[in-house]
Amino acid sequence: MNTEAILDDLRSRIEAGYPLLFLQTWEEERWEHELAELTLEIERGLVTWTITGGLQPPVGEATEPSAWELLLRLGDYPPGHVFLVKDFHAWISDPVIVRRLRDLLSGLIAERKTLIFLGPVAEIPFDLTKDSVRIELPLPGYEDLQSEFTAAMAQRSEAGEAELTLSDDEQDKLIKAVMGLSTQEARKAWRRALHGRTELNDDVFTTLISEKRTLASGSDLLEFYDLEEGVGDIGGLDALKEWMARRADAYSPRAREQGIPLPKGMLLLGVQGCGKSLTARATARLLAFPLIRLDIANLLGSARGESEKNMRSALALVESIAPAVLWMDEIEKGFAGVETDGGGGGDATMTRLVGSFLTWMSDIQKPIFVIATANSVQNLPPEMLRRGRFDELFFVDLPNFEERKHILGIHLKKRGWKPEQFDVNDLAARSEGFSGAELEQIVITAMIDAFGQGHIMQHEDLERSWRSTVPLSVTMEDKIFALRNWAQDRCRRATSDSRVTSMLESEARDDALKVPVDEEEKSLPAWAQLAHSGQLKAALVEYVRTDGDVLFPELAQALSRYMETSGDQGLAARANPNTVLWAGMSQQLCELICELVSSKRLYIHPTDPERYKAAQQSIRLPLLKEPTDNRLPRAAWLPSSLRCAPHAVHAARLARIGRMKLGGN
Ligand code: ATP
């Protein structure tokens, strides 16, 4: 109920002669003011009582103020009076006081007098429950804060403070940023955040939001986060950032007027260290909402029903803080045990928890944006992924070349370096498979090392740091591949990997090739320049990209100047290892191709065997025209080629290939 509805309710109860009302609030001043207006309106006298001031206005002789004295003096006032009693919770449990109140009841009703107990605690003694009503008073709503804001701004200009011109949207954001606070707290927060300012910036909202920290401080289920990073601190993830900016508009007053529905939230699934948590923090800052983390593991209680109760109370608290961003990190771990698509017993408590959370999420009418993050789909409750739960499911992949450049630039700048002073292009080109967190770590390690050695950081320090970092993607390749595959048709990509992006990427990569030292090298094609500088993986991709459709022996031949390409190893489909793709290659070349196919940089396509014949190449094995679903009893050769785009029909079957030892061809 909002303030107006509560006042209507109180008016009708006073007029109906309710003798005892217990009102719970921290906002004594605001409600005292509201009650004074209400009693004036219904033409009732208002008397207030505190332990220090006694009854005001007093009647008769002045005495020492005490709770007992209050109860003795009520009869001295004419019928119809309303008594606003503060600080009474300290005495209300005293049996003598309770007895006295019970004795007074019939007189109060007969004389249409109402005692209103106002305070942060509103415990009603059992003996009085039948004759009392307890009402929890709401915090100020948007309209209350709007008039409070107007008053605060007027006060500010009266005090001669600097002029601050605000657009409607800005004013709206300033009001929303303090929702959940009392009027007094809101005023204090505005005063602190706007003091001496002539225009708004992000810091104003961060200051305002931090005032809400205390609201969540009493709960061990919720954690309040400071918002230091903005959208500008996220390298890459352009599709996700663009989507977020559009969602932010949906909270504006204009969108409200036009009935645009409130966004519900997003689920970010992706590779570890690629910016999911960072996105949660930046989103909260973009929306100017506080970021509150809900720890699902902490919700779990041992007694039956305790977990759901914890969940309900945590969500109620979030609602009281709204608008807010509610962040649930690593939900696959938190909700571990919920029955997944794969079947299994499932944990009834967890299933109920997920169910009650999803119901809450679909019913919620307050501006609460939920961000759930996950590193794996295993144990992820399938019902969470169903369409309509979240506004969008995003897949956050390892950063591409452009993104790596951006991330390195951000972390260098953040620590006071000029990215132009380093060969960021070169570093980004070499760090395929590195996550944002690992790129950040390269910068930090290089800084520390340079400092330890007593010199200013140089590109060589970054390079050394890069060399000593083994990206997680090397050891987690299988997991990342599985995740990427799973997300392909189910999630939107956080990075718009359009043709334009890959073109830009390859152009930038070409720019990065400052390696040629002599005229001969300068005239080499881009792939050869890359190979020359030792970037064999990039060279291989570039070769396939320029040629469009490459046979394995052609590739081996082209790269043979830069690495050992022939040997006793071969390639076969993982799903069906008797499907041989090619043989007679070196282990290094096979591994490079496997890695690029697994990470979806390159794709296998079945091709016409005539092409191999024309190149005078073949394998002495029975010929296979296309990959089969059935396991082959014997090895067969599937003539195939490498391309940069997946095959329309056989992409899935040839998505994973493995290295094998088969002998020469
Ligand atoms: P985890 O699943 O392990 O929690 P995550 O995807 O949530 O990983 P973050 O915690 O956001 O990753 O990343 C860790 C740190 O790495 C960030 O605080 C940030 O400094 C850096 N980082 C990661 N991705 C990016 C990015 N895209 N742009 C800039 N910095 C990044």
Side-chain angles (χ1 to χ4, degrees):
M1 275 208 274
N2 61 20
T3 308
E4 212 153 303
I6 286 283
L7 287 171
D8 279 346
D9 184 62
L10 287 175
R11 182 188 296 114
S12 63
R13 288 184 195 275
I14 295 169
E15 287 182 330
Y18 277 61
L20 305 176
L21 299 178
F22 288 79
L23 307 188
Q24 187 189 4
T25 179
W26 282 100
E27 293 188 284
E28 192 179 270
E29 197 186 319
R30 176 163 89 97
W31 286 100
E32 186 176 358
H33 177 78
E34 298 284 5
L35 286 168
E37 290 207 343
L38 174 69
T39 45
L40 198 68
E41 204 181 294
I42 56 176
E43 297 178 357
R44 297 290 194 93
L46 180 69
V47 181
T48 55
W49 180 87
T50 59
I51 188 62
T52 47
L55 285 159
Q56 295 294 336
V59 283
E61 269 172 47
T63 48
E64 275 295 299
S66 74
W68 186 248
E69 185 66 21
L70 158 73
L71 301 182
L72 286 181
R73 292 293 190 98
L74 293 178
D76 298 350
Y77 289 83
H81 265 70
V82 175
F83 298 86
L84 177 59
V85 181
K86 302 180 197 172
D87 317 323
F88 207 73
H89 54 267
W91 292 276
I92 199 74
S93 51
D94 180 343
V96 181
I97 298 281
V98 174
R99 180 68 258 168
R100 175 70 188 156
L101 277 168
R102 290 192 71 185
D103 293 343
L104 283 172
L105 277 173
S106 53
L108 290 172
I109 294 169
E111 295 196 335
R112 294 184 304 118
K113 286 179 180 166
T114 302
L115 269 143
I116 298 180
F117 299 98
L118 185 74
V121 183
E123 298 285 345
I124 304 178
F126 184 72
D127 301 26
L128 294 174
T129 41
K130 267 191 125 12
D131 304 288
S132 313
V133 175
R134 181 179 174 281
I135 299 171
E136 207 174 307
L137 298 177
L139 284 164
Y142 186 87
E143 279 81 23
D144 301 315
L145 287 171
Q146 207 169 20
S147 44
E148 206 57 41
F149 184 75
T150 314
M153 291 304 276
Q155 216 175 40
R156 186 186 144 102
S157 49
E158 267 168 35
E161 265 209 56
E163 184 82 16
L164 177 65
T165 320
L166 299 171
S167 67
D168 286 352
D169 274 6
E170 284 173 331
Q171 181 167 327
D172 173 71
K173 263 176 125 178
L174 285 171
I175 295 169
K176 282 189 184 147
V178 297
M179 283 187 77
L181 298 181
S182 68
T183 42
Q184 246 179 341
E185 288 166 333
R187 268 199 191 222
K188 255 195 289 173
W190 286 322
R191 215 175 301 135
R192 192 155 84 88
L194 299 175
H195 182 73
R197 292 197 181 267
T198 51
E199 57 185 33
L200 293 189
N201 62 14
D202 268 8
D203 292 340
V204 171
F205 297 105
T206 314
T207 313
L208 287 178
I209 288 165
S210 68
E211 295 286 330
K212 292 198 189 182
R213 171 181 291 281
T214 46
L215 297 176
S217 64
S219 164
D220 54 356
L221 304 172
L222 300 175
E223 198 179 343
F224 199 97
Y225 273 75
D226 281 324
L227 305 177
E228 275 150 23
E229 292 117 324
V231 175
D233 292 299
I234 307 177
L237 309 187
D238 47 353
L240 171 56
K241 288 192 279 195
E242 197 186 311
W243 183 88
M244 250 342 290
R246 276 204 303 272
R247 295 291 131 164
D249 283 345
Y251 290 102
S252 68
R254 230 170 348 103
R256 297 279 63 94
E257 274 162 27
Q258 293 182 20
I260 307 289
L262 281 173
K264 287 187 190 311
M266 62 182 169
L267 189 140
L268 304 178
L269 170 72
V271 182
Q272 241 167 304
C274 285
K276 298 183 297 298
S277 317
L278 172 64
T279 304
R281 298 194 293 273
T283 303
R285 190 161 162 141
L286 173 74
L287 298 175
F289 291 178
L291 178 67
I292 300 158
R293 181 163 165 254
L294 172 67
D295 193 333
I296 305 160
N298 271 0
L299 292 176
L300 305 179
S302 48
R304 193 180 152 73
E306 198 178 331
S307 312
E308 287 99 313
K309 202 173 122 230
N310 286 344
M311 166 86 89
R312 274 195 303 276
S313 75
L315 295 179
L317 191 54
V318 176
E319 279 187 52
S320 74
I321 301 173
V325 171
L326 177 64
W327 174 31
M328 305 200 313
D329 197 15
E330 304 194 330
I331 49 169
E332 77 281 20
K333 289 193 190 140
F335 285 127
V338 177
E339 200 168 334
T340 60
D341 268 341
D347 176 339
T349 305
M350 279 303 194
T351 311
R352 280 200 307 274
L353 265 191
V354 176
S356 67
F357 175 77
L358 291 173
T359 312
W360 172 82
M361 203 172 146
S362 73
D363 293 348
I364 183 86
Q365 294 297 321
K366 294 197 168 179
I368 295 175
F369 190 78
V370 179
I371 301 184
T373 55
N375 288 333
S376 127
V377 284
Q378 249 165 15
N379 294 328
L380 208 61
E383 55 270 49
M384 274 204 136
L385 303 168
R386 243 167 251 149
R387 287 265 149 228
R389 303 293 201 199
F390 289 92
D391 299 314
E392 197 56 271
L393 310 184
F394 275 104
F395 176 61
V396 183
D397 207 340
L398 286 166
N400 62 29
F401 173 75
E402 279 299 322
E403 293 182 310
R404 294 196 294 275
K405 255 171 51 178
H406 195 182
I407 296 171
L408 284 165
I410 286 173
H411 288 292
L412 283 166
K413 261 198 230 154
K414 216 174 184 175
R415 292 164 179 87
W417 301 95
K418 285 190 178 154
E420 324 61 277
Q421 288 175 334
F422 305 92
D423 197 346
V424 174
N425 279 355
D426 171 67
L427 205 57
R430 288 165 188 238
S431 359
E432 175 135 16
F434 282 69
S435 68
E438 286 159 346
L439 294 170
E440 180 183 19
Q441 209 46 50
I442 288 180
V443 173
I444 295 173
T445 308
M447 274 176 68
I448 295 173
D449 288 352
F451 177 75
Q453 289 158 18
H455 63 253
I456 292 185
M457 185 169 76
Q458 309 284 328
H459 184 70
E460 289 67 43
D461 295 301
L462 288 171
E463 205 175 302
R464 215 170 306 116
S465 167
W466 164 77
R467 221 179 283 285
S468 63
T469 311
V470 180
L472 204 66
S473 62
V474 171
T475 46
M476 302 268 290
E477 196 208 301
D478 281 3
K479 279 198 174 149
I480 296 176
F481 179 83
L483 196 62
R484 203 175 276 151
N485 241 2
W486 186 93
Q488 197 168 29
D489 309 322
R490 298 171 170 98
C491 300
R492 187 160 164 175
R493 288 178 61 87
T495 303
S496 56
D497 237 352
S498 63
R499 271 163 197 248
V500 180
T501 319
S502 51
M503 241 170 63
L504 282 176
E505 203 179 302
S506 85
E507 271 172 24
R509 210 185 305 119
D510 291 349
D511 283 348
L513 301 171
K514 299 185 196 123
V515 188
V517 283
D518 58 32
E519 283 310 306
E520 192 216 347
E521 273 175 25
K522 257 189 228 168
S523 62
L524 288 175
W527 72 266
Q529 293 182 29
L530 281 165
H532 194 85
S533 68
Q535 299 173 62
L536 291 170
K537 219 189 296 172
L540 209 154
V541 175
E542 187 59 25
Y543 186 88
V544 176
R545 196 185 68 81
T546 10
D547 190 284
D549 190 358
V550 181
L551 302 181
F552 295 108
E554 268 175 30
L555 185 69
Q557 167 71 27
L559 289 172
S560 60
R561 221 184 123 191
Y562 307 98
M563 62 186 280
E564 185 56 67
T565 57
S566 61
D568 59 355
Q569 311 274 308
L571 296 171
R574 279 227 188 145
N576 205 338
N578 274 339
T579 306
V580 177
L581 304 176
W582 191 246
M585 292 186 284
S586 71
Q587 178 169 341
Q588 191 190 4
L589 181 59
C590 286
E591 276 170 1
L592 274 180
I593 298 174
C594 284
E595 198 180 325
L596 290 166
V597 172
S598 296
S599 61
K600 300 207 167 182
R601 301 270 296 165
L602 294 179
Y603 296 87
I604 304 283
H605 285 240
T607 196
D608 186 350
E610 292 302 317
R611 292 180 60 201
Y612 274 85
K613 243 194 223 162
Q616 299 186 327
Q617 300 281 344
S618 95
I619 295 182
R620 267 179 271 118
L621 285 175
L623 209 62
L624 196 63
K625 280 211 177 103
E626 54 179 49
T628 64
D629 276 334
N630 308 326
R631 274 214 159 218
L632 296 175
R634 285 185 299 123
W637 175 38
L638 176 70
S640 38
S641 61
L642 278 169
R643 293 196 200 182
C644 281
H647 191 278
V649 183
H650 302 304
R653 271 181 230 149
L654 293 172
R656 301 227 68 189
I657 58 170
R659 182 170 58 84
M660 59 189 297
K661 204 162 169 173
L662 194 90
N665 57 355

